[in-house]
Amino acid sequence: MFRIRLRRTVAALVATPLAALAFVTLPVAPAGAAAGEPSAEMAVTVGGVPIRDNSVVDDGTSVSVGVSGLLTPGTGTRELRATLDSGMRYTAGSAEAPEGWNIEFSTDGGTGWVGTDPTPASNVTDVRATASVAAGAITGYSQLYSSETVAPVPSSSFSGSTGGDGWDVFFYDDFVFNIFHHDNAKIRLDCHLRSTGGRCAGYTVDFAGYRTANRSGGWVDSITGRLYAFTAQASSGQPGVLCIDVNATPTSCGFTPLSPDTSIGTYTLLSNAEFVGRRIFGVETSGTGSLLCFDAALGTACPGSPIDLVGATNSNQTYPLSFGDKIMVKTPSRMYCYNATTLAACAGTWPATISASNSTPAAPHTDADGVLDGVCHQTACLDLTGATTAWTSPWSLGATSWPITGGYFSGSLTQGRFFFPSTDPLKVDCFDFVTGSRCTNFPTAAFDPSFSGIYATRVDPNNPSCIWINSDGGQIRVLDAFSGQLGCSANPVITLQPSSFAPRFTCTTPNSIDEWQQLELTSVAGSGTPATINLTVRDALGATVTGWVNRPITVGTPLDMSGLDVTLSGSRPTFNFAFGGVTGGTITNATIALDYAGKGPELCIDATLVAGANVCPVLTGL
């Protein structure tokens, strides 16, 4: 048994620029450090549960240690350091530093440092994170942060993918990701920048040993910066998700199997992936078929997963579909509906028997106000109880004649409209739920022949009037949801991304913002003049924050943000500025200033207790 004793020696803290401090030894300061002063703290958890001073734990227990502190105001080089007691053995690969900080390791008590995990990891005596950063004043128990960011209108033209073609696109901050499809040997991740259209530095990145489905979707948890790909491990044949950390150079953060099934011998047995909240859904069709679920918040398979799906025996004809707080699954003979949180079957006559033998996906149905009220296959629609209705299916515009065969295509819903690849492989079509017929200006004109054929459409997470497409030719483009023209400059949205104003500083808690204070659109560049500018705040998962939708903004006039509830916005929101009625030219970029109060930076490590009586990580050099 081991007794955890947290050192509480307090070093002198002076309010001078850190560049003049060298390394001030700062073991863990008391939790009750005076408000308005620099301070340091340490948190130790076992299985995610905080433990108190003098707690007793068993030999071999794995613990997580987070060391953090409010910084002395000023600009200079900062260091967060955890010195491991002789009773702790560092866990390889576990160190997490604030975004933009450099991690180093020592095996000799801090005399020498290396930038990668030493071998063996048990030799590590110290872990530190360093950076040159500016820190604002301290108010109460928070640090003040200010940023001024020049944010552009997203590009409408993207450089071609290399080494393959993706199926759809998905987003994180300024990044547009896609995964090249139908590969039995690897996941190949590609990336473009929303702001410029250029390819991200260091991509394409391969992760060998995993299968990539025909409909090779993915999703990034914006709260953690971890990307998840629905896949199957080639060596075991098990379906699951591969985690890829994309906060810096993309690295694997582990594979999680989602089923005991080991018969996924080819990528054709995997469906597309769908996402509801922080849960990921996919279907494997090696036997009778199973719905699989991964919970990114838990880091494990969802309780109650997998779920048997009778009739899901052909992945090209089986599609999961995100549907509000539900997940729908279409097979050739049945439509299933489940509550995405509990995995319980939806109320009504689910599963519903259908006749849908071709490879068209399920499509959502809405009423004239855009409220989800049912789901459609190519010949009919069902209401939320599973009963057949007289509604017109969006697939009536061409359900039997798509040239992209094999179940490769999919659609997306926004603004009361459903967008999907047309019967012409170089066009996009649109169904308007208000009129119950094809949208005006659709199908689009044929796009460049280099597209070869469009696979999937996706709605821009920051601009509901902007549609993304990916193609067989590896071409990625955006188009206006109303004109059908390439580019989304008619009604542009400029987004202040989280990485521009709030680097991910903490690892023991995702809530690093204590209070929003002030936001100002200081200037707008371009030859155009907007009639209106409206602010919409979205949380890390893309949901709009109540009370912060289409708030009028005036250039040069600060907006009081103290009424924005941090519990609703979270610490990784986006601030979206929509420019309406632009005349006389175009908008190119905007300068945005933001002030808030938040927590100090934090370094986290995992370790195993193996010997000794006291566990005393030390924090130095703030």
Side-chain angles (χ1 to χ4, degrees):
M1 300 287 246
F2 293 90
R3 185 175 299 279
I4 302 285
R5 182 163 59 83
L6 307 184
R7 289 185 182 174
R8 297 201 178 276
T9 306
V10 185
L13 288 165
V14 291
T16 58
L18 260 289
L21 281 182
F23 293 130
V24 177
T25 300
L26 183 62
V28 180
E37 295 182 0
S39 64
E41 296 182 351
M42 180 177 72
V44 180
T45 60
V46 175
V49 179
I51 59 177
R52 297 180 178 180
D53 204 2
N54 287 316
S55 297
V56 177
V57 297
D58 292 331
D59 183 2
T61 298
S62 295
V63 298
S64 296
V65 178
V67 289
S68 62
L70 298 179
L71 307 178
T72 301
T75 300
T77 299
R78 318 300 179 116
E79 178 186 274
L80 287 165
R81 185 190 300 186
T83 296
L84 279 65
D85 181 87
S86 59
M88 304 184 79
R89 294 290 182 267
Y90 169 71
T91 302
S94 66
E96 292 185 69
E99 191 172 355
W101 290 47
N102 184 50
I103 300 177
E104 293 181 304
F105 306 88
S106 176
T107 58
D108 55 12
T111 300
W113 296 92
V114 295
T116 57
D117 277 349
T119 303
S122 58
N123 287 345
V124 171
T125 61
D126 299 78
V127 182
R128 72 179 182 184
T130 59
S132 179
V133 295
I138 296 173
T139 173
Y141 296 98
S142 300
Q143 195 111 38
L144 297 183
Y145 296 91
S146 297
S147 66
E148 186 171 85
T149 305
V150 178
V153 171
S155 175
S156 59
S157 180
F158 293 81
S159 59
S161 297
T162 59
D165 59 320
W167 177 73
D168 69 350
V169 295
F170 50 101
F171 309 90
Y172 173 58
D173 212 81
D174 192 35
F175 302 129
V176 181
F177 292 104
N178 71 99
I179 296 173
F180 300 150
H181 64 166
H182 51 65
D183 195 318
N184 264 327
K186 62 184 174 296
I187 287 175
R188 173 163 283 193
L189 179 66
D190 203 6
C191 175
H192 291 77
L193 297 174
R194 292 163 60 92
S195 55
T196 67
R199 300 186 67 249
C200 307
Y203 286 80
T204 305
V205 183
D206 289 351
F207 295 88
Y210 299 95
R211 309 199 190 287
T212 306
N214 285 333
R215 305 192 296 268
S216 54
W219 173 77
V220 183
D221 184 355
S222 295
I223 295 174
T224 62
R226 291 184 167 185
L227 183 153
Y228 294 95
F230 181 58
T231 183
Q233 193 173 43
S235 60
S236 68
Q238 283 189 287
V241 293
L242 177 67
C243 171
I244 302 172
D245 191 327
V246 293
N247 286 301
T249 302
T251 56
S252 171
C253 38
F255 173 77
T256 302
L258 299 180
S259 169
D261 189 359
T262 58
S263 59
I264 309 299
T266 175
Y267 62 79
T268 61
L269 300 175
L270 299 170
S271 76
N272 54 298
E274 291 289 308
F275 310 90
V276 179
R278 295 179 73 188
R279 289 192 158 195
I280 303 158
F281 296 87
V283 177
E284 63 90 3
T285 59
S286 62
T288 59
S290 297
L291 174 65
L292 311 175
C293 175
F294 174 80
D295 192 314
L298 299 176
T300 63
C302 306
S305 171
I307 298 173
D308 287 340
L309 298 175
V310 176
T313 57
N314 184 329
S315 64
N316 287 347
Q317 297 179 12
T318 296
Y319 283 82
L321 171 70
S322 297
F323 192 91
D325 60 355
K326 302 176 177 61
I327 189 78
M328 301 278 192
V329 181
K330 169 197 167 285
T331 77
S333 58
R334 294 186 179 187
M335 189 80 76
Y336 293 81
C337 177
Y338 297 95
N339 181 291
T341 302
T342 65
L343 298 191
C346 302
T349 57
W350 302 101
T353 300
I354 63 174
S355 177
S357 59
N358 76 3
S359 58
T360 54
H365 189 280
T366 79
D367 63 17
D369 294 322
V371 177
L372 289 167
D373 59 4
V375 63
C376 301
H377 52 89
Q378 71 266 31
T379 58
C381 298
L382 312 174
D383 65 20
L384 295 180
T385 71
T388 301
T389 71
W391 301 329
T392 301
S393 170
W395 301 130
S396 64
L397 301 184
T400 60
S401 57
W402 275 286
I404 302 286
T405 58
Y408 278 16
F409 68 101
S410 191
S412 56
L413 176 70
T414 183
Q415 308 282 64
R417 297 174 162 211
F418 186 64
F419 297 85
F420 51 93
S422 171
T423 54
D424 182 324
L426 301 181
K427 298 180 180 180
V428 172
D429 214 339
C430 171
F431 184 87
D432 189 332
F433 287 107
V434 174
T435 64
S437 59
R438 177 172 278 126
C439 307
T440 303
N441 297 325
F442 286 84
T444 61
F447 299 136
D448 191 295
S450 66
F451 279 43
S452 299
I454 296 167
Y455 286 131
T457 67
R458 291 291 179 259
V459 181
D460 189 288
N462 302 314
N463 185 350
S465 298
C466 191
I467 307 299
W468 291 74
I469 55 178
N470 203 352
S471 74
D472 185 42
Q475 301 297 314
I476 295 171
R477 295 290 186 271
V478 294
L479 63 102
D480 187 276
F482 294 95
S483 70
Q485 298 296 309
L486 285 174
C488 295
S489 59
N491 295 288
V493 172
I494 289 178
T495 299
L496 181 62
Q497 299 284 1
S499 63
S500 299
F501 64 82
R504 186 177 283 101
F505 269 8
T506 62
C507 32
T508 60
T509 172
N511 299 317
S512 59
I513 307 292
D514 295 326
E515 179 188 27
W516 301 108
Q517 296 188 341
Q518 181 174 285
L519 178 70
E520 181 181 352
L521 190 65
T522 59
S523 64
V524 176
S527 58
T529 300
T532 60
I533 307 175
N534 290 322
L535 167 69
T536 294
V537 181
R538 290 181 168 84
D539 66 19
L541 299 179
T544 56
V545 177
T546 302
W548 292 87
V549 178
N550 291 330
R551 294 278 293 264
I553 294 293
T554 301
V555 176
T557 301
L559 177 67
D560 182 1
M561 300 292 287
S562 60
L564 177 57
D565 189 342
V566 173
T567 60
L568 297 179
S569 70
S571 293
R572 304 287 292 178
T574 57
F575 298 93
N576 309 132
F577 297 87
F579 296 83
V582 179
T583 58
T586 59
I587 301 297
T588 57
N589 64 62
T591 302
I592 306 160
L594 178 66
D595 300 329
Y596 65 91
K599 296 177 173 58
E602 182 180 38
L603 169 67
C604 295
I605 61 170
D606 293 339
T608 301
L609 306 186
V610 294
N614 298 311
V615 176
C616 306
V618 176
L619 174 63
T620 66
L622 286 182

